[in-house]
Amino acid sequence: MFVEEVAELVELLPLRGALVGLPGVDGLSTEQRKRLTIAVELVANPSIIFMDEPTSGLDARAAAIVMRTVRNTVDTGRTVVCTIHQPSIDIFETFDEGVRGVKKIKDSYNPATWMLEVTTLAQEDILGCNFAEVYRNSDLYRKNKNLVSELSTPRPGSKDLYFPTQYSQSFIIQCMACLWKQHKSYWRNPSYTATRIFFTTLIGFVFGTIFLSLGKKVGKRQDLFDALGSMYAAVLLIGVQNGLTVQPIVEVERTVFYREKAAGMYSALPYAFAQVVIEIPHIFLQTVVYGLIIYTLIGFDWTVQKFFWYMFFMYFTFMYFTFYGMMLVAMTPNSDIAALASTACYAIWNIFLLASLSPDQGYQYGGDGTRGHAQWLGHYMDLWLPNLETLQMLSWKMGK
């Protein structure tokens, strides 16, 4: 396959199953990342490649490996225009064209120092020539001018380059490709997926122990509100945790998305679709684990209707929190600002939702048919109120 040929060209076949990781943290080294960047561009099979200091930040050995990759690319017939910073003598000698008309570099001499010395105005005065004029009068200049003129003139019968669609694949194929990529990313990130399940299980047993058998106490109205509060607290903690932990993951993925979208691989909508869909099975597993533990230890009634209503609203509440955290990352420059914004929103929601649990005031209707002091937040509470009212209804039914 062409992809394997490119991987072999840039000497990445031994690393075909490796994780890219985060720079300076894990995954590929800096030199391997640079070769991977070259490979990503080579997959598009360009005829000319521009590289701006591909060896920056590398030691001599790593720079030599990257430049060997560049040399291999040139050997395939592609043109590579490259700027390089302080090359070693081995790297310098890999270039086909350099400065001409001056004395050659001495053995074991610093090529960067030599370059600065031979390109100064003083050196031109010593040689009695102007480098620009030397190039303008050279065969290389005339050859390049003729080549530019030839390539600028369309061949007889040729047509302008035209693509019927902006992207090479259909919307469905883009969605499938993005979903496959997101699946691989989540599968290879156990620090996020596995840790979330472990934290959910641990918190489930902690909450279940704190509210042990609370669901069976229905003799007083306060007992019912205690049961409702236990459900609210259990859902809120995991929901907020989901909203916060997903934000760094989305931020890292967004960096990759910018590069791949700029390369014309896919549009923004399939990427957003894949990000949302990949969370659904993970949240479902989290809900099953957490719901079974909480429902069993708190001691709610084991009826099919009540159990599935409970799991239904817990599942969609977890998704609401998770997608809300993803939305804030999309709206803010980075995950730090998103975390600050989401934390403030969670605090405000928590205050008004706790007020809505009061039996005599708050968001509930008063005796005169009007709403309480939280009326101005009503539109936002409507996102939560169906969950709370349904759970409250189930709590009251447990007493019958």
Side-chain angles (χ1 to χ4, degrees):
M1 295 177 60
F2 180 68
V3 174
E4 294 183 351
E5 294 178 3
V6 172
E8 183 178 5
L9 179 67
V10 298
E11 303 178 15
L12 285 178
L13 274 181
L15 302 172
R16 62 186 305 170
L19 297 179
V20 178
L22 298 175
V25 179
D26 55 9
L28 302 181
S29 64
T30 304
E31 164 259 319
Q32 291 168 343
R33 291 174 187 273
K34 289 182 179 291
R35 284 191 285 148
L36 178 61
T37 301
I38 297 174
V40 170
E41 301 304 326
L42 287 177
V43 169
N45 198 21
S47 59
I48 183 170
I49 302 175
F50 293 88
M51 297 185 185
D52 183 18
E53 298 189 6
T55 61
S56 297
L58 302 180
D59 56 25
R61 175 183 175 279
I65 295 176
V66 171
M67 292 308 299
R68 186 169 66 231
T69 299
V70 176
R71 181 72 258 180
N72 294 339
T73 304
V74 174
D75 292 340
T76 62
R78 297 178 177 89
T79 300
V80 176
V81 180
C82 179
T83 62
I84 193 168
H85 180 64
Q86 291 187 347
S88 64
I89 185 61
D90 295 332
I91 294 177
F92 192 82
E93 290 177 348
T94 62
F95 288 91
D96 295 325
E97 299 293 341
V99 179
R100 296 183 178 181
V102 296
K103 60 182 180 180
K104 294 184 178 181
I105 185 173
K106 300 178 180 178
D107 294 338
S108 302
Y109 199 73
N110 187 350
T113 303
W114 172 81
M115 179 67 73
L116 293 175
E117 291 177 351
V118 299
T119 55
T120 60
L121 293 176
Q123 187 68 23
E124 288 183 339
D125 295 337
I126 294 175
L127 297 176
C129 66
N130 184 294
F131 290 146
E133 291 296 332
V134 171
Y135 172 71
R136 192 174 291 111
N137 296 326
S138 65
D139 294 335
L140 177 62
Y141 173 79
R142 289 186 288 271
K143 178 182 177 182
N144 291 339
K145 287 288 290 185
N146 293 334
L147 180 61
V148 171
S149 178
E150 177 184 352
L151 296 178
S152 301
T153 304
R155 295 180 180 179
S158 62
K159 298 181 180 180
D160 293 338
L161 189 62
Y162 170 75
F163 297 98
T165 59
Q166 183 178 0
Y167 301 98
S168 60
Q169 300 297 331
S170 64
F171 177 80
I172 300 299
I173 300 299
Q174 293 179 46
C175 290
M176 294 176 60
C178 290
L179 186 59
W180 173 84
K181 185 173 75 71
Q182 289 291 339
H183 168 67
K184 288 293 185 180
S185 177
Y186 272 55
W187 180 257
R188 295 174 174 178
N189 190 7
S191 61
Y192 172 62
T193 55
T195 303
R196 180 165 67 171
I197 298 300
F198 173 78
F199 180 81
T200 300
T201 305
L202 179 63
I203 294 300
F205 280 108
V206 171
F207 264 97
T209 304
I210 294 175
F211 301 112
L212 186 64
S213 301
L214 187 63
K216 293 182 171 58
K217 299 176 183 179
V218 293
K220 302 177 183 179
R221 186 176 67 168
Q222 184 60 44
D223 293 334
L224 297 177
F225 276 100
D226 290 342
L228 179 59
S230 68
M231 290 185 284
Y232 166 72
V235 173
L236 180 68
L237 180 61
I238 295 298
V240 171
Q241 182 69 18
N242 280 7
L244 292 177
T245 55
V246 76
Q247 290 174 348
I249 305 300
V250 176
E251 182 187 21
V252 173
E253 293 288 341
R254 182 171 61 181
T255 304
V256 180
F257 161 72
Y258 286 154
R259 183 181 68 183
E260 294 179 345
K261 183 178 183 297
M265 297 179 65
Y266 49 79
S267 63
L269 189 56
Y271 172 79
F273 167 80
Q275 270 200 323
V276 171
V277 171
I278 196 60
E279 280 287 346
I280 293 178
H282 291 273
I283 297 175
F284 179 78
L285 175 62
Q286 183 184 29
T287 303
V288 171
V289 173
Y290 192 65
L292 284 174
I293 296 173
I294 292 293
Y295 202 90
T296 302
L297 294 180
I298 294 182
F300 295 129
D301 287 353
W302 279 100
T303 62
V304 175
Q305 181 182 8
K306 293 178 181 180
F307 174 75
F308 279 102
W309 269 114
Y310 183 86
M311 298 293 288
F312 173 81
F313 282 113
M314 178 177 287
Y315 177 53
F316 277 89
T317 303
F318 286 170
M319 285 202 299
Y320 169 80
F321 272 105
T322 304
F323 296 154
Y324 177 76
M326 297 169 66
M327 179 192 71
L328 284 181
V329 176
M331 296 173 59
T332 54
N334 53 62
S335 60
D336 295 331
I337 298 178
L340 292 175
S342 59
T343 302
C345 291
Y346 296 149
I348 295 174
W349 290 351
N350 191 42
I351 292 173
F352 283 93
L353 283 170
L354 289 177
S356 72
L357 295 178
S358 173
D360 302 319
Q361 60 180 353
Y363 186 64
Q364 300 195 12
Y365 286 93
D368 57 353
T370 59
R371 301 199 179 205
H373 61 269
Q375 181 180 4
W376 65 275
L377 202 61
H379 295 292
Y380 300 98
M381 293 297 102
D382 285 339
L383 298 173
W384 285 70
L385 193 58
N387 296 25
L388 297 176
E389 287 181 343
T390 303
L391 295 177
Q392 187 176 13
M393 176 190 67
L394 295 178
S395 298
W396 279 100
K397 282 186 177 181
M398 288 189 299
K400 296 182 179 181

